[in-house]
Amino acid sequence: FNSLGFDLGASAGRAMLGVCDGTRLTLEEVHRFANGPVRIHGHLYWDAPRLFDELKAGIAACTQGGVRLDAIGIDTWGVDFGLLARGGELLAMPRHYRDPRNQGVMERVFQTVPRAEIYQRTGIQFLPFNSLYQLVALQGAAPALLDAAERLLFMPDLFAYWLTGTLGTERTIASTSQMLDPHAGVWDVELLRRLGLPAHILPAIAATATPAGPLLADISDEVGQAGTPVIRCAGHDTAAAVAAGLVPFALGSDT
């Protein structure tokens, strides 16, 4: 079984080929690339199209090495997202979590919904760049952009969408938003309503290891891997690291 895992961090990304024969897993780095924010007029963005090209390069590297892939998975840093229009186009470049637009927003939110209640509802640590506060910041700075959004996709979901054409998210990456009810496993619609945020833009939440869909035909032609399924693995890189630590116990101590 040949799988390709993409691990994208805030400063670099890599593509790791995993080959498992049922008892032993071997790993090989097939592609590595730099990542970092792009500064435009004092604001920080992610160059999502370039990162997508790097993902395709990683898949193509497997093809060039004679490897037929059985699955592809993607994890990234948390909280950041892209907004899609009704036709599926990206409305704006995803903002970097360190963008200055987020400063002071968390404290303003607490004036509407108390800090203790938000923690009780979501169970997530308070960081000024959690997706919840990024959306409130966007609501104040560019409400027309939020009004035009049909769907919000976190970074691994955005790349999976570009690869497969399928919309959705996975629980671990969704949890970084501070908008997820961890007990019910659904979006906290009431929290969003109280903050005046549109709940309808949030994607359906899939269980970890759920297939997103096969590579689109034009992607398959470009990278040379026809119909390989993209799996919604643990989309948050921290959760993926925890899951990876359990692999030796699943396959045996000599892995």
Side-chain angles (χ1 to χ4, degrees):
F1 187 87
N2 303 321
S3 59
L4 184 65
F6 288 99
D7 175 37
L8 277 69
S11 61
R14 59 180 177 167
M16 298 294 296
L17 174 64
V19 178
C20 183
D21 62 7
T23 59
R24 188 172 183 83
L25 173 68
T26 59
L27 299 174
E28 176 189 357
E29 182 181 293
V30 296
H31 186 53
R32 179 177 285 270
F33 48 94
N35 189 20
V38 178
R39 184 178 295 274
I40 304 174
H41 298 313
H43 289 282
L44 299 177
Y45 301 84
W46 295 108
D47 189 350
R50 183 188 69 80
L51 294 176
F52 183 57
D53 265 349
E54 298 288 4
L55 265 62
K56 291 188 291 183
I59 301 171
C62 294
T63 304
Q64 293 161 9
V67 177
R68 167 63 184 169
L69 293 174
D70 297 299
I72 297 169
I74 307 166
D75 74 61
T76 76
W77 66 97
V79 308
D80 291 339
F81 54 83
L83 295 175
L84 301 183
R86 184 176 299 275
E89 300 87 357
L90 185 64
L91 286 169
M93 298 295 287
R95 290 290 181 111
H96 189 284
Y97 58 89
R98 295 292 186 187
D99 187 78
R101 187 176 68 181
N102 304 323
Q103 295 174 1
V105 175
M106 186 169 67
E107 289 72 21
R108 296 205 308 270
V109 167
F110 296 157
Q111 296 174 13
T112 302
V113 183
R115 180 189 182 105
E117 182 181 348
I118 292 177
Y119 184 77
Q120 184 180 37
R121 300 182 77 105
T122 65
I124 295 298
Q125 66 176 325
F126 289 96
L127 296 170
F129 44 69
N130 286 347
S131 314
L132 178 66
Y133 312 120
Q134 291 199 44
L135 281 175
V136 173
L138 177 61
Q139 181 187 55
L145 183 61
L146 195 56
D147 290 343
E150 178 71 15
R151 191 69 68 232
L152 178 152
L153 294 179
F154 301 101
M155 297 307 294
D157 311 324
L158 178 63
F159 297 132
Y161 169 66
W162 283 344
L163 287 173
T164 68
T166 303
L167 298 166
T169 190
E170 175 273 337
R171 181 166 178 156
T172 68
I173 193 68
S175 74
T176 69
S177 67
Q178 206 163 36
M179 299 186 291
L180 182 74
D181 177 341
H183 306 289
V186 298
W187 298 115
D188 191 332
V189 175
E190 174 60 17
L191 174 61
L192 296 170
R193 184 195 65 78
R194 289 168 63 183
L195 293 172
L197 296 174
H200 72 272
I201 69 173
L202 298 178
I205 302 170
T208 307
T210 301
L215 293 176
L216 293 167
D218 63 321
I219 300 293
S220 294
D221 291 343
E222 185 176 354
V223 301
Q225 296 281 341
T228 303
V230 175
I231 307 299
R232 296 197 192 280
C233 61
H236 186 211
D237 53 6
T238 303
V242 171
L246 299 176
V247 170
F249 297 97
L251 296 179
S253 60
D254 63 339
T255 302

